[in-house]
Amino acid sequence: MRYLAGRLGALLAVVALIGLLPGLTRTDPALTILHARYADRPPTPAVLDAIRAETGLDGGPLHVLGAWASGLPRGDLGESWVSGQPVGPDVTSALGVSLTLMGASLAVAVLLAVALAAGTLRRGAHRRLVTTRAGVGAAVLAALPEFLLAAVLATVLAVQLGWFPALGWGAADQFVLPALAMGVPAGALLGRLLDDALPAVFAEPWARAATAHGMPARRIAAHALRRALPALLPQTGLVVVGLTGGAVAVETLYAVPGLGGTALAAALAQDLPVLQACVLLLLLLGVAAGLAARLGSRALLGPARTDGALPPLVAPKLPARRTVALGAVTLGALLMAVVLTGLLRDPLYADAAARLAPPSAAHPLGTDSLGRDVLARLGHGAARTVLTALAVGAVTLLLGLLAGAARAGALTETANALPAVLAGLVVAGIAGPGAGGAAVAVATVAWAPLAAHTSALFTEERAAPHVTVALALGAGPWHRLRRHILPGVLPPVVRHAVLRVPAIALALASLGFLGLGTPAPAPEWGRMLSENLPYAERAPWAVLGPAAALAALGALAVLTSAAVRGRAHR
């Protein structure tokens, strides 16, 4: 009951904040509704007053919120301010579509995660883990923007080869491309986290004993998966919610009538009843997914969770391959050379005669849709993209560690249920659009996966025998935290945070593309992707440059982390 009470309290607080949005924003909701209903109708005072009276805005935000909340016990989600139709049927239909797409995407993600960790599982079960592995392939896949992957799949598999339909929803073959576009990045992230946890599992005494007694490698691998999964189940729960409400770009590209696109359209039109219903359903899904992950972790850990008999997962001291450090240096030098070369060029000069020009001596990476040099914009956008992403990543790491250590599960699940785009709309409505508002919006929700990871690891570390012994010897809370718990929690969470830096850069850029971040024509890698995506088939170089830069950033982060980790173990 306490678990549900905390989460329902956080849910009601967020829904109330959404309900008070008309009183917090700097724009007139009646004017936005008028433009959504009738694009060309003049906004006369009489017309605006009529809209306010119809929607209840003339009574103030509290009146609007109270009127909407009074219908919830009856299952009444209100009427759309734009269409005038009941909200319930449309929103529940969109939820059904999103849940179906989420199920297919989650299947892709799980299969990919297992495939990426299969090598470590096989070698660990045969006691052949002799060097660390960077997981660069997983990092590159995790850094791929969903909308770029969706566009490439649609162009190649649907348009050019004709294997799948490019648009629509309902038939079985229409699930494939959206599920791949959403499931591949999510599966790469889960696979990287699983691959990172397995070496510590295989270093435990039971694994050595099982090998010595001749237990089959398959059974050892199965036991290793069961031991590693409790720390990953909360991440899986967060992925479930993210795949349901955060698929705005993929839903738009493939014309999928899902919940994410419905929520975004309602937020842009300030159609408050629809937006509140979408957020309410997403938050309820977050509570359900969090509860399922919690129960699953308890079932997997069993009595060891409370009996102080759970050994901590300590990564073995495996030397890093020299190629890992060499790869990090080479990739870093290459990326730096590209950035420095781009900084010597003008990123704003537009040559109309050279629009979408292919790579040449004058433009080594070609030009974009306005005739601007891609290399120049890539170089000048590096500082804005990378430094902002690193700063937001550091903030989210700190918030995630604090929230996870404090067991703030309700806040974690609530924050994860809100897509960064919706958080950006709320922050922009309150503080106005800008780079600072976009950074705040992303930081507001991006800490949740790190908090869930921290909380899961804290649970396991606190159940370790050495912590019980330290308590029996009179060690205080601060000593136990600093000497016995944090050493097992910090390394994997920091590596997790590093892996999410490219995703943070993408989230910041997507908000900028919607007009909620750094305004145009400032160069930004994600903005470059979004601006040139419609021309990807005609001029692929316009999107390959920023896409390769983001993928290289993800690979560089993982390579550097692996090299530093291996050097520390020498």
Side-chain angles (χ1 to χ4, degrees):
M1 290 299 295
R2 183 178 179 183
Y3 174 88
L4 292 177
R7 278 143 184 83
L8 291 178
L11 181 151
L12 293 175
V14 173
V15 172
L17 177 62
I18 297 294
L20 296 175
L21 195 58
L24 300 174
T25 59
R26 300 182 177 186
T27 58
D28 184 357
L31 183 61
T32 306
I33 295 169
L34 174 64
H35 288 162
R37 289 182 178 179
Y38 320 104
D40 300 328
R41 189 167 181 178
T44 62
V47 172
L48 295 178
D49 288 340
I51 291 178
R52 294 188 187 99
E54 178 186 350
T55 58
L57 286 168
D58 54 352
L62 289 176
H63 172 73
V64 173
L65 178 61
W68 181 79
S70 64
L72 290 181
R74 306 188 306 271
D76 182 10
L77 297 176
E79 293 184 354
S80 169
W81 288 355
V82 174
S83 67
Q85 299 299 315
V87 171
D90 290 340
V91 172
T92 52
S93 175
L95 176 63
V97 170
S98 289
L99 289 178
T100 303
L101 179 57
M102 179 272 293
S105 303
L106 186 62
V108 172
V110 171
L111 290 175
L112 179 59
V114 173
L116 289 173
T120 302
L121 270 174
R122 183 178 63 256
R123 289 188 301 275
H126 289 91
R127 311 300 299 170
R128 295 175 185 169
L129 283 178
V130 295
T131 58
T132 57
R133 302 188 67 85
V136 179
V140 172
L141 291 176
L144 282 177
E146 288 181 354
F147 64 86
L148 176 63
L149 186 57
V152 171
L153 291 174
T155 301
V156 176
L157 299 183
V159 177
Q160 295 182 354
L161 298 178
W163 292 353
F164 303 98
L167 297 173
W169 183 257
D173 56 353
Q174 293 175 325
F175 294 9
V176 176
L177 297 185
L180 287 174
M182 294 168 53
V184 167
L189 177 65
L190 292 177
R192 180 68 183 87
L193 294 176
L194 178 60
D195 190 70
D196 187 65
L198 284 175
V201 172
F202 285 119
E204 290 186 329
W206 71 265
R208 294 194 296 269
T211 303
H213 283 280
M215 181 181 290
R218 285 187 178 182
R219 290 188 61 187
I220 296 176
H223 284 297
L225 274 177
R226 178 175 178 175
R227 178 68 179 90
L229 280 180
L232 268 69
L233 279 181
Q235 297 301 314
T236 306
L238 299 184
V239 166
V240 165
V241 182
L243 291 175
T244 306
V248 178
V250 176
E251 289 178 1
T252 302
L253 183 64
Y254 289 109
V256 177
L259 194 63
T262 302
L264 178 60
L268 292 174
Q270 292 204 25
D271 194 350
L272 201 59
V274 176
L275 179 60
Q276 285 177 308
C278 291
V279 171
L280 178 63
L281 292 178
L282 284 173
L283 293 177
L284 288 174
L285 178 64
V287 171
L291 180 60
R294 183 185 180 94
L295 294 177
S297 296
R298 287 188 174 187
L300 289 172
L301 292 177
R305 187 182 66 87
T306 55
D307 291 348
L310 190 67
L313 288 177
V314 180
K317 295 183 178 182
L318 304 176
R321 292 183 174 181
R322 293 183 178 180
T323 53
V324 171
L326 181 61
V329 172
T330 303
L331 187 58
L334 179 61
L335 195 58
M336 184 62 67
V338 171
V339 169
L340 292 177
T341 305
L343 287 174
L344 300 177
R345 297 167 174 261
D346 186 357
L348 302 180
Y349 174 74
D351 185 359
R355 292 179 63 250
L356 301 175
S360 62
H363 305 287
L365 296 182
T367 62
D368 65 7
S369 58
L370 297 179
R372 297 172 299 190
D373 188 81
V374 172
L375 178 58
R377 295 183 64 76
L378 200 65
H380 284 267
R384 181 176 286 105
T385 301
V386 178
L387 295 181
T388 305
L390 289 175
V392 174
V395 172
T396 57
L397 174 60
L398 179 60
L399 293 176
L401 288 171
L402 293 176
R407 302 293 201 281
L411 288 177
T412 300
E413 292 160 13
T414 302
N416 180 74
L418 290 175
V421 171
L422 292 185
L425 289 168
V426 173
V427 173
I430 297 173
V440 171
V442 174
T444 301
V445 297
W447 58 267
L450 301 177
H453 197 184
T454 300
S455 180
L457 292 174
F458 254 86
T459 299
E460 295 189 19
E461 290 295 324
R462 287 165 64 94
H466 67 88
V467 176
T468 304
V469 172
L471 179 63
L473 293 175
W478 172 244
H479 179 84
R480 296 198 306 273
L481 177 68
R482 182 170 58 91
R483 299 296 298 273
H484 297 279
I485 297 177
L486 284 181
V489 172
L490 280 179
V493 175
V494 170
R495 291 193 294 272
H496 185 180
V498 168
L499 191 62
R500 287 189 176 271
V501 168
I504 290 175
L506 247 300
L508 289 167
S510 64
L511 293 178
F513 178 68
L514 291 173
L516 305 176
T518 304
E524 207 171 39
W525 290 356
R527 178 183 291 279
M528 292 171 64
L529 279 171
S530 302
E531 289 174 344
N532 295 289
L533 196 57
Y535 311 96
E537 187 174 1
R538 176 184 169 189
W541 52 84
V543 295
L544 284 178
L550 284 166
L553 179 63
L556 179 62
V558 175
L559 282 170
T560 304
S561 175
V564 172
R565 178 183 178 184
R567 187 176 182 85
H569 284 164
R570 288 182 180 176

